[in-house]
Amino acid sequence: MKNNASKLCAVLSAGVSAGFPALSQAAESGFIADSTATLQARNYYFSRDYSDIRGPEQSKAEEWAQGFILNFKSGYTPGSVGFGLDAIGQLGIKLDSGRGRVNTGLLPVQQDGEAADEYSRLGVALKTRLSKTELKVGELQPNLPVLVFSDIRLLPPTYQGASVVSNEIAGLTLQGGHLTSTSLRNEAGDDKMQAMLGHKPQRQASSDAFNYAGADYAFNANRTTLSAWYAQLEDLYDQRFFGLKHSEPMGDWVFGANVGYYDASEDGKHLIGAIDNQAFFSLLSAKRGGHTFFIGYQAMYGDSAFPRVFANVSPLGNEVPTYEFASADERSWQARYDYDFAALGVPGLVASTRYITGDNVDTGLGYEGKDWERDLDISYAFQSGTLKGLGVRVRNVTARSNYRTDIDENRLILSYTWTLF
C-alpha cells in the first residue's frame, strides 16, 4: 500500500508541474505560499444482503478496498487577476471481492464479472480569480442542491467542465456551471451523465451537458439562508429548487429548520420520457448540549419519481444512502436522534440513530408501495496520541419494502488524513 500511495503522490506532483510550468517564477508569490496539500487513506468494508430479491440477480454485495485521495490546491499569482491550479489524484485497491459479490460501488466491475484489482485517476483544474469571483475549468467536485457531492463510497466522484462562483455582494453567493462528463465513484475514466428516477437508473439514455445556476443569500447574522437554483441535464430533465435554512438560539436550545421544494420536468428530446415531479421536504431540529433531535416530512407529487444525476444522493430531508423515499407519490416521515459524547468528556465520539417510514407509493403494479429504514451510525475521531487523525465509522442498516428489494447493510470505514503542507 505504501508503494501505491507513493506512486500516487509522484503522479500528482508530475501532473501539477506539467499543468503549471511557471511554478519557479511563482515561488515567491501566493501561488506557492498559499498552497495546501492533503493525503487521505480510506479503508472501506461494505456488505449489503438482499434478503428479499425483487430485482438484482445476486443476493449479496460484499467488498473490501483501500483508497487514497490526494488533494492539492494552489494559491493565486499576484495581480488584479490571479491564476492557480487545483489537482486531485485518486487510487483504489481491491483487498477482497469475488464473482457474485460485486457492485458495491467500491470497485469497477470488469467484463468477466470480477472486480478490478486497482483503478486510479488524476484530474487538474485551472482557476482564475478576479476580486471575489472565481472561475474553474477542468476537474470539479461541485456540491449543490441540484448536484450533491456524493462522497459515500471508497472514492468521490468528479465532473469535468467549468464553474464560476461569485461573492461580490455580502451574504450573496452566485454560482453557475457547465459540466460535460463525469467520473463515477468506482470508475477511472470519463463518461456521459445518466439520470435516476427515484431508485431506478435510466441507462437507456445519457447526456454530455449538465447546466446549472443558483443563488444563496445568507442574512440575519448568517442564521438564515434563502436559495434558488435551476439545473438542466440536457435532453433528459430540468429542475428548479427553492430552499430555506434557519437556526434560532433560544436559551440552552438551538432550533433549526431546513425546508425545500423541487419541481422537475422533461427536457429537450425527452430521452427518458415524460417527467412530472414536485418534491417537498422539511427537516426540523432541536439541539441542547450533546443532544440533537430531528423530525422530517417528505412528499412526492406528480406522475414521476424524483430525478437526479446518476448515482448521486440528493439533499432531500428523508433521503439516506440506502433508500431514497423519493418514489412517485411517496409520503415519508423521519425521526432521528444524534448524541455528541463531547458533552460527557469524550470528544470525537458521535452516535446517530434514525427511523424513516414511507407509504402511498405508486408502484404501477396495482397496489400501494410501502417501505421503512432504520439506521445506526457510530463514529470516533482520535483526538490525541499516535492515532490522532484516525477516524472510525460503523454503519448498520435494516431496510424493508413491499415493492423493492429488502436490504441488510453494514459498513466499516477507517480514514486517516495527513496534511502535507
Side-chain angles (χ1 to χ4, degrees), residues 76-132:
Y76 285 91
T77 58
S80 57
V81 179
F83 296 91
L85 178 147
D86 293 345
I88 179 171
Q90 301 186 92
L91 173 66
I93 304 168
K94 179 176 69 177
L95 299 179
D96 181 64
S97 181
R99 191 185 301 273
R101 294 191 286 120
V102 295
N103 291 315
T104 64
L106 300 185
L107 298 163
V109 182
Q110 303 174 138
Q111 292 184 347
D112 61 2
E114 298 282 357
D117 291 334
E118 64 176 57
Y119 63 111
S120 60
R121 179 177 180 83
L122 171 65
V124 175
L126 300 178
K127 59 185 181 182
T128 182
R129 184 181 64 187
L130 173 62
S131 184
K132 296 180 180 179

Short mmCIF file of all heavy atoms in Angstrom, two decimals, residues 76-132:
data_model
loop_
_atom_site.label_atom_id
_atom_site.label_comp_id
_atom_site.label_asym_id
_atom_site.label_seq_id
_atom_site.Cartn_x
_atom_site.Cartn_y
_atom_site.Cartn_z
N TYR A 76 -2.94 31.88 -5.47
CA TYR A 76 -3.09 32.61 -6.73
C TYR A 76 -1.85 33.46 -7.00
O TYR A 76 -1.18 33.94 -6.07
CB TYR A 76 -4.32 33.53 -6.67
CG TYR A 76 -5.62 32.78 -6.80
CD1 TYR A 76 -6.29 32.31 -5.67
CD2 TYR A 76 -6.17 32.51 -8.05
CE1 TYR A 76 -7.48 31.62 -5.78
CE2 TYR A 76 -7.35 31.81 -8.18
CZ TYR A 76 -8.00 31.38 -7.04
OH TYR A 76 -9.18 30.68 -7.16
N THR A 77 -1.54 33.61 -8.26
CA THR A 77 -0.46 34.50 -8.65
C THR A 77 -0.84 35.94 -8.32
O THR A 77 -2.03 36.27 -8.24
CB THR A 77 -0.18 34.38 -10.15
OG1 THR A 77 -1.38 34.68 -10.88
CG2 THR A 77 0.29 32.98 -10.51
N PRO A 78 0.14 36.84 -8.09
CA PRO A 78 -0.19 38.22 -7.72
C PRO A 78 -0.79 38.98 -8.91
O PRO A 78 -0.67 38.58 -10.06
CB PRO A 78 1.16 38.79 -7.30
CG PRO A 78 2.17 37.95 -8.03
CD PRO A 78 1.58 36.58 -8.10
N GLY A 79 -1.45 40.09 -8.58
CA GLY A 79 -2.07 40.91 -9.61
C GLY A 79 -3.57 40.99 -9.42
O GLY A 79 -4.16 40.25 -8.63
N SER A 80 -4.21 41.89 -10.17
CA SER A 80 -5.66 42.05 -10.05
C SER A 80 -6.39 40.80 -10.51
O SER A 80 -7.49 40.49 -10.03
CB SER A 80 -6.12 43.26 -10.86
OG SER A 80 -5.73 43.12 -12.23
N VAL A 81 -5.80 40.09 -11.47
CA VAL A 81 -6.33 38.81 -11.91
C VAL A 81 -5.33 37.72 -11.51
O VAL A 81 -4.19 37.72 -11.98
CB VAL A 81 -6.58 38.76 -13.43
CG1 VAL A 81 -7.10 37.40 -13.84
CG2 VAL A 81 -7.56 39.86 -13.83
N GLY A 82 -5.74 36.83 -10.61
CA GLY A 82 -4.84 35.78 -10.14
C GLY A 82 -5.13 34.46 -10.81
O GLY A 82 -6.28 34.16 -11.16
N PHE A 83 -4.08 33.65 -11.01
CA PHE A 83 -4.23 32.34 -11.63
C PHE A 83 -3.70 31.27 -10.67
O PHE A 83 -2.76 31.50 -9.91
CB PHE A 83 -3.48 32.27 -12.95
CG PHE A 83 -4.00 33.21 -14.00
CD1 PHE A 83 -3.49 34.49 -14.12
CD2 PHE A 83 -5.03 32.80 -14.84
CE1 PHE A 83 -3.99 35.36 -15.07
CE2 PHE A 83 -5.53 33.68 -15.80
CZ PHE A 83 -5.01 34.95 -15.91
N GLY A 84 -4.32 30.10 -10.73
CA GLY A 84 -3.89 29.00 -9.87
C GLY A 84 -4.28 27.66 -10.46
O GLY A 84 -4.74 27.57 -11.62
N LEU A 85 -4.09 26.63 -9.68
CA LEU A 85 -4.31 25.27 -10.16
C LEU A 85 -4.71 24.38 -8.98
O LEU A 85 -4.13 24.46 -7.90
CB LEU A 85 -3.03 24.74 -10.81
CG LEU A 85 -3.01 23.32 -11.36
CD1 LEU A 85 -2.11 23.25 -12.58
CD2 LEU A 85 -2.49 22.35 -10.29
N ASP A 86 -5.71 23.56 -9.18
CA ASP A 86 -6.10 22.52 -8.23
C ASP A 86 -5.92 21.17 -8.90
O ASP A 86 -6.07 21.04 -10.12
CB ASP A 86 -7.57 22.66 -7.79
CG ASP A 86 -7.82 23.91 -6.96
OD1 ASP A 86 -6.84 24.52 -6.49
OD2 ASP A 86 -8.99 24.28 -6.80
N ALA A 87 -5.59 20.15 -8.10
CA ALA A 87 -5.42 18.81 -8.65
C ALA A 87 -5.87 17.77 -7.64
O ALA A 87 -5.76 17.98 -6.43
CB ALA A 87 -3.95 18.56 -9.03
N ILE A 88 -6.40 16.67 -8.14
CA ILE A 88 -6.81 15.56 -7.29
C ILE A 88 -6.33 14.26 -7.91
O ILE A 88 -6.48 14.03 -9.11
CB ILE A 88 -8.34 15.54 -7.07
CG1 ILE A 88 -8.72 14.35 -6.19
CG2 ILE A 88 -9.09 15.54 -8.39
CD1 ILE A 88 -10.17 14.36 -5.74
N GLY A 89 -5.67 13.44 -7.09
CA GLY A 89 -5.25 12.11 -7.52
C GLY A 89 -5.96 11.07 -6.67
O GLY A 89 -6.04 11.21 -5.44
N GLN A 90 -6.49 10.03 -7.30
CA GLN A 90 -7.23 9.01 -6.58
C GLN A 90 -6.74 7.61 -6.98
O GLN A 90 -6.44 7.37 -8.15
CB GLN A 90 -8.73 9.12 -6.88
CG GLN A 90 -9.33 10.45 -6.50
CD GLN A 90 -10.84 10.48 -6.66
OE1 GLN A 90 -11.58 10.19 -5.73
NE2 GLN A 90 -11.30 10.82 -7.85
N LEU A 91 -6.66 6.74 -5.99
CA LEU A 91 -6.23 5.37 -6.22
C LEU A 91 -7.07 4.43 -5.37
O LEU A 91 -7.19 4.63 -4.16
CB LEU A 91 -4.75 5.21 -5.86
CG LEU A 91 -4.17 3.78 -5.89
CD1 LEU A 91 -4.17 3.24 -7.33
CD2 LEU A 91 -2.76 3.77 -5.30
N GLY A 92 -7.67 3.42 -6.00
CA GLY A 92 -8.44 2.42 -5.30
C GLY A 92 -7.83 1.04 -5.50
O GLY A 92 -7.45 0.68 -6.63
N ILE A 93 -7.72 0.25 -4.41
CA ILE A 93 -7.06 -1.06 -4.46
C ILE A 93 -8.00 -2.12 -3.87
O ILE A 93 -8.52 -1.94 -2.77
CB ILE A 93 -5.74 -1.04 -3.66
CG1 ILE A 93 -4.82 0.04 -4.18
CG2 ILE A 93 -5.04 -2.41 -3.73
CD1 ILE A 93 -3.64 0.32 -3.27
N LYS A 94 -8.19 -3.18 -4.58
CA LYS A 94 -9.04 -4.28 -4.10
C LYS A 94 -8.32 -5.06 -3.00
O LYS A 94 -7.18 -5.47 -3.16
CB LYS A 94 -9.38 -5.23 -5.25
CG LYS A 94 -10.24 -6.42 -4.83
CD LYS A 94 -10.64 -7.28 -6.01
CE LYS A 94 -9.47 -8.02 -6.61
NZ LYS A 94 -9.86 -8.93 -7.71
N LEU A 95 -8.99 -5.26 -1.89
CA LEU A 95 -8.49 -6.11 -0.82
C LEU A 95 -9.24 -7.43 -0.77
O LEU A 95 -8.65 -8.48 -0.49
CB LEU A 95 -8.59 -5.39 0.53
CG LEU A 95 -7.80 -4.09 0.66
CD1 LEU A 95 -8.01 -3.47 2.03
CD2 LEU A 95 -6.32 -4.32 0.39
N ASP A 96 -10.54 -7.39 -1.02
CA ASP A 96 -11.34 -8.62 -1.05
C ASP A 96 -12.59 -8.39 -1.88
O ASP A 96 -13.27 -7.37 -1.72
CB ASP A 96 -11.74 -9.06 0.36
CG ASP A 96 -12.55 -10.35 0.34
OD1 ASP A 96 -12.00 -11.38 -0.05
OD2 ASP A 96 -13.74 -10.31 0.68
N SER A 97 -12.86 -9.34 -2.77
CA SER A 97 -14.06 -9.31 -3.59
C SER A 97 -14.24 -10.70 -4.17
O SER A 97 -13.53 -11.63 -3.78
CB SER A 97 -13.94 -8.25 -4.71
OG SER A 97 -15.11 -8.21 -5.49
N GLY A 98 -15.16 -10.84 -5.08
CA GLY A 98 -15.35 -12.14 -5.71
C GLY A 98 -16.54 -12.10 -6.64
O GLY A 98 -17.45 -11.28 -6.49
N ARG A 99 -16.54 -13.00 -7.61
CA ARG A 99 -17.65 -13.08 -8.54
C ARG A 99 -18.94 -13.35 -7.75
O ARG A 99 -19.00 -14.19 -6.87
CB ARG A 99 -17.41 -14.21 -9.54
CG ARG A 99 -18.40 -14.22 -10.72
CD ARG A 99 -18.14 -15.44 -11.59
NE ARG A 99 -16.78 -15.46 -12.11
CZ ARG A 99 -16.42 -14.86 -13.24
NH1 ARG A 99 -17.32 -14.22 -13.96
NH2 ARG A 99 -15.16 -14.93 -13.65
N GLY A 100 -19.96 -12.62 -8.05
CA GLY A 100 -21.21 -12.76 -7.33
C GLY A 100 -21.33 -11.87 -6.11
O GLY A 100 -22.38 -11.82 -5.47
N ARG A 101 -20.25 -11.11 -5.78
CA ARG A 101 -20.30 -10.19 -4.64
C ARG A 101 -19.95 -8.77 -5.04
O ARG A 101 -19.68 -7.93 -4.18
CB ARG A 101 -19.34 -10.66 -3.54
CG ARG A 101 -19.72 -11.99 -2.90
CD ARG A 101 -18.88 -12.26 -1.66
NE ARG A 101 -17.51 -12.63 -1.97
CZ ARG A 101 -16.42 -11.96 -1.58
NH1 ARG A 101 -16.56 -10.85 -0.88
NH2 ARG A 101 -15.22 -12.40 -1.88
N VAL A 102 -19.93 -8.48 -6.34
CA VAL A 102 -19.51 -7.17 -6.85
C VAL A 102 -20.68 -6.17 -6.79
O VAL A 102 -21.72 -6.45 -6.21
CB VAL A 102 -18.97 -7.29 -8.28
CG1 VAL A 102 -17.71 -8.13 -8.30
CG2 VAL A 102 -20.02 -7.92 -9.20
N ASN A 103 -20.46 -5.01 -7.40
CA ASN A 103 -21.47 -3.95 -7.48
C ASN A 103 -21.77 -3.31 -6.12
O ASN A 103 -22.90 -2.93 -5.84
CB ASN A 103 -22.77 -4.46 -8.10
CG ASN A 103 -22.63 -4.78 -9.57
OD1 ASN A 103 -22.06 -3.99 -10.33
ND2 ASN A 103 -23.12 -5.94 -9.98
N THR A 104 -20.76 -3.16 -5.30
CA THR A 104 -20.92 -2.42 -4.05
C THR A 104 -20.74 -0.92 -4.27
O THR A 104 -21.06 -0.12 -3.39
CB THR A 104 -19.90 -2.87 -2.99
OG1 THR A 104 -18.57 -2.55 -3.47
CG2 THR A 104 -20.01 -4.36 -2.72
N GLY A 105 -20.18 -0.53 -5.40
CA GLY A 105 -19.82 0.86 -5.62
C GLY A 105 -18.42 1.20 -5.18
O GLY A 105 -17.98 2.34 -5.34
N LEU A 106 -17.68 0.21 -4.64
CA LEU A 106 -16.30 0.46 -4.22
C LEU A 106 -15.32 0.28 -5.36
O LEU A 106 -14.32 1.02 -5.44
CB LEU A 106 -15.91 -0.48 -3.07
CG LEU A 106 -16.71 -0.42 -1.77
CD1 LEU A 106 -16.09 -1.36 -0.74
CD2 LEU A 106 -16.77 1.00 -1.23
N LEU A 107 -15.55 -0.72 -6.21
CA LEU A 107 -14.59 -1.11 -7.23
C LEU A 107 -15.27 -1.25 -8.59
O LEU A 107 -16.45 -1.61 -8.67
CB LEU A 107 -13.95 -2.46 -6.86
CG LEU A 107 -13.15 -2.50 -5.56
CD1 LEU A 107 -12.93 -3.94 -5.11
CD2 LEU A 107 -11.82 -1.77 -5.72
N PRO A 108 -14.52 -1.00 -9.69
CA PRO A 108 -15.08 -1.23 -11.02
C PRO A 108 -15.32 -2.72 -11.26
O PRO A 108 -14.59 -3.57 -10.74
CB PRO A 108 -13.99 -0.69 -11.97
CG PRO A 108 -13.06 0.10 -11.11
CD PRO A 108 -13.15 -0.49 -9.75
N VAL A 109 -16.32 -3.03 -12.06
CA VAL A 109 -16.61 -4.41 -12.43
C VAL A 109 -16.15 -4.63 -13.86
O VAL A 109 -16.55 -3.89 -14.77
CB VAL A 109 -18.11 -4.73 -12.30
CG1 VAL A 109 -18.37 -6.20 -12.65
CG2 VAL A 109 -18.59 -4.44 -10.88
N GLN A 110 -15.30 -5.64 -14.08
CA GLN A 110 -14.76 -5.92 -15.41
C GLN A 110 -15.76 -6.75 -16.22
O GLN A 110 -16.76 -7.24 -15.71
CB GLN A 110 -13.43 -6.67 -15.27
CG GLN A 110 -12.39 -5.89 -14.45
CD GLN A 110 -11.13 -6.70 -14.21
OE1 GLN A 110 -10.04 -6.19 -14.29
NE2 GLN A 110 -11.28 -7.98 -13.86
N GLN A 111 -15.45 -6.93 -17.50
CA GLN A 111 -16.34 -7.68 -18.38
C GLN A 111 -16.48 -9.14 -17.97
O GLN A 111 -17.49 -9.78 -18.25
CB GLN A 111 -15.85 -7.60 -19.83
CG GLN A 111 -15.99 -6.20 -20.43
CD GLN A 111 -15.58 -6.16 -21.89
OE1 GLN A 111 -14.97 -7.09 -22.41
NE2 GLN A 111 -15.91 -5.06 -22.56
N ASP A 112 -15.47 -9.67 -17.25
CA ASP A 112 -15.55 -11.06 -16.80
C ASP A 112 -16.35 -11.22 -15.51
O ASP A 112 -16.44 -12.32 -14.96
CB ASP A 112 -14.15 -11.65 -16.63
CG ASP A 112 -13.32 -10.92 -15.57
OD1 ASP A 112 -13.84 -9.98 -14.94
OD2 ASP A 112 -12.14 -11.30 -15.37
N GLY A 113 -16.91 -10.12 -15.02
CA GLY A 113 -17.71 -10.19 -13.81
C GLY A 113 -16.93 -10.05 -12.53
O GLY A 113 -17.52 -10.06 -11.44
N GLU A 114 -15.60 -9.91 -12.62
CA GLU A 114 -14.77 -9.75 -11.44
C GLU A 114 -14.47 -8.27 -11.20
O GLU A 114 -14.48 -7.46 -12.13
CB GLU A 114 -13.45 -10.52 -11.62
CG GLU A 114 -13.61 -12.02 -11.77
CD GLU A 114 -13.85 -12.73 -10.45
OE1 GLU A 114 -13.85 -12.04 -9.40
OE2 GLU A 114 -14.06 -13.95 -10.46
N ALA A 115 -14.17 -7.91 -9.97
CA ALA A 115 -13.76 -6.55 -9.65
C ALA A 115 -12.32 -6.32 -10.08
O ALA A 115 -11.47 -7.23 -10.00
CB ALA A 115 -13.91 -6.29 -8.16
N ALA A 116 -12.02 -5.11 -10.54
CA ALA A 116 -10.65 -4.77 -10.93
C ALA A 116 -9.75 -4.75 -9.70
O ALA A 116 -10.18 -4.44 -8.59
CB ALA A 116 -10.64 -3.41 -11.61
N ASP A 117 -8.48 -5.11 -9.90
CA ASP A 117 -7.52 -5.12 -8.79
C ASP A 117 -7.23 -3.72 -8.28
O ASP A 117 -7.01 -3.52 -7.09
CB ASP A 117 -6.21 -5.79 -9.22
CG ASP A 117 -6.38 -7.29 -9.44
OD1 ASP A 117 -7.28 -7.88 -8.83
OD2 ASP A 117 -5.60 -7.85 -10.24
N GLU A 118 -7.21 -2.74 -9.18
CA GLU A 118 -7.00 -1.36 -8.79
C GLU A 118 -7.48 -0.43 -9.89
O GLU A 118 -7.66 -0.84 -11.04
CB GLU A 118 -5.53 -1.07 -8.47
CG GLU A 118 -4.59 -1.21 -9.65
CD GLU A 118 -3.16 -0.83 -9.28
OE1 GLU A 118 -2.60 -1.42 -8.34
OE2 GLU A 118 -2.61 0.08 -9.96
N TYR A 119 -7.71 0.80 -9.54
CA TYR A 119 -8.05 1.83 -10.52
C TYR A 119 -7.59 3.18 -9.98
O TYR A 119 -7.48 3.37 -8.77
CB TYR A 119 -9.55 1.84 -10.83
CG TYR A 119 -10.46 2.18 -9.67
CD1 TYR A 119 -11.17 3.37 -9.64
CD2 TYR A 119 -10.63 1.29 -8.60
CE1 TYR A 119 -12.01 3.69 -8.57
CE2 TYR A 119 -11.48 1.58 -7.54
CZ TYR A 119 -12.16 2.79 -7.53
OH TYR A 119 -12.99 3.08 -6.47
N SER A 120 -7.27 4.09 -10.88
CA SER A 120 -6.72 5.37 -10.44
C SER A 120 -7.11 6.46 -11.42
O SER A 120 -7.51 6.20 -12.57
CB SER A 120 -5.19 5.29 -10.34
OG SER A 120 -4.62 4.98 -11.60
N ARG A 121 -6.96 7.70 -10.94
CA ARG A 121 -7.33 8.85 -11.76
C ARG A 121 -6.57 10.08 -11.29
O ARG A 121 -6.35 10.26 -10.09
CB ARG A 121 -8.84 9.11 -11.68
CG ARG A 121 -9.28 10.32 -12.49
CD ARG A 121 -10.78 10.51 -12.45
NE ARG A 121 -11.15 11.68 -13.24
CZ ARG A 121 -11.31 11.66 -14.54
NH1 ARG A 121 -11.15 10.53 -15.22
NH2 ARG A 121 -11.63 12.76 -15.20
N LEU A 122 -6.17 10.92 -12.23
CA LEU A 122 -5.56 12.21 -11.95
C LEU A 122 -6.36 13.28 -12.67
O LEU A 122 -6.60 13.17 -13.87
CB LEU A 122 -4.11 12.25 -12.41
CG LEU A 122 -3.43 13.63 -12.36
CD1 LEU A 122 -3.31 14.12 -10.93
CD2 LEU A 122 -2.06 13.59 -13.04
N GLY A 123 -6.81 14.29 -11.95
CA GLY A 123 -7.57 15.38 -12.56
C GLY A 123 -7.02 16.73 -12.14
O GLY A 123 -6.59 16.92 -11.00
N VAL A 124 -7.04 17.68 -13.06
CA VAL A 124 -6.50 19.02 -12.82
C VAL A 124 -7.52 20.06 -13.22
O VAL A 124 -8.23 19.91 -14.22
CB VAL A 124 -5.19 19.23 -13.61
CG1 VAL A 124 -4.68 20.66 -13.46
CG2 VAL A 124 -4.12 18.25 -13.16
N ALA A 125 -7.63 21.11 -12.44
CA ALA A 125 -8.49 22.24 -12.77
C ALA A 125 -7.67 23.53 -12.72
O ALA A 125 -7.00 23.80 -11.72
CB ALA A 125 -9.67 22.33 -11.81
N LEU A 126 -7.72 24.31 -13.78
CA LEU A 126 -7.13 25.65 -13.78
C LEU A 126 -8.15 26.62 -13.21
O LEU A 126 -9.35 26.48 -13.43
CB LEU A 126 -6.75 26.05 -15.20
CG LEU A 126 -5.74 25.14 -15.90
CD1 LEU A 126 -5.50 25.63 -17.32
CD2 LEU A 126 -4.44 25.07 -15.13
N LYS A 127 -7.67 27.59 -12.46
CA LYS A 127 -8.59 28.55 -11.85
C LYS A 127 -8.05 29.96 -11.97
O LYS A 127 -6.84 30.18 -12.05
CB LYS A 127 -8.83 28.19 -10.38
CG LYS A 127 -7.56 28.18 -9.51
CD LYS A 127 -7.88 27.69 -8.10
CE LYS A 127 -6.64 27.69 -7.22
NZ LYS A 127 -6.91 27.18 -5.84
N THR A 128 -8.98 30.90 -12.01
CA THR A 128 -8.62 32.31 -12.06
C THR A 128 -9.55 33.09 -11.16
O THR A 128 -10.73 32.73 -11.02
CB THR A 128 -8.67 32.85 -13.50
OG1 THR A 128 -8.26 34.22 -13.51
CG2 THR A 128 -10.07 32.75 -14.08
N ARG A 129 -9.04 34.14 -10.53
CA ARG A 129 -9.82 34.92 -9.59
C ARG A 129 -9.70 36.40 -9.90
O ARG A 129 -8.61 36.94 -10.10
CB ARG A 129 -9.34 34.66 -8.16
CG ARG A 129 -10.17 35.38 -7.08
CD ARG A 129 -9.62 35.09 -5.71
NE ARG A 129 -8.26 35.63 -5.54
CZ ARG A 129 -7.49 35.40 -4.47
NH1 ARG A 129 -7.93 34.61 -3.51
NH2 ARG A 129 -6.29 35.93 -4.39
N LEU A 130 -10.85 37.06 -9.97
CA LEU A 130 -10.92 38.50 -10.13
C LEU A 130 -11.82 39.03 -9.02
O LEU A 130 -12.99 38.65 -8.95
CB LEU A 130 -11.48 38.88 -11.50
CG LEU A 130 -11.76 40.38 -11.73
CD1 LEU A 130 -10.46 41.18 -11.63
CD2 LEU A 130 -12.44 40.59 -13.07
N SER A 131 -11.24 39.85 -8.14
CA SER A 131 -11.98 40.34 -6.99
C SER A 131 -12.47 39.14 -6.16
O SER A 131 -11.67 38.33 -5.73
CB SER A 131 -13.14 41.24 -7.44
OG SER A 131 -13.81 41.81 -6.33
N LYS A 132 -13.78 38.99 -5.98
CA LYS A 132 -14.34 37.87 -5.21
C LYS A 132 -15.08 36.88 -6.10
O LYS A 132 -16.00 36.19 -5.67
CB LYS A 132 -15.26 38.38 -4.11
CG LYS A 132 -14.55 39.23 -3.06
CD LYS A 132 -15.52 39.70 -1.98
CE LYS A 132 -14.79 40.54 -0.95
NZ LYS A 132 -15.73 41.04 0.12
#
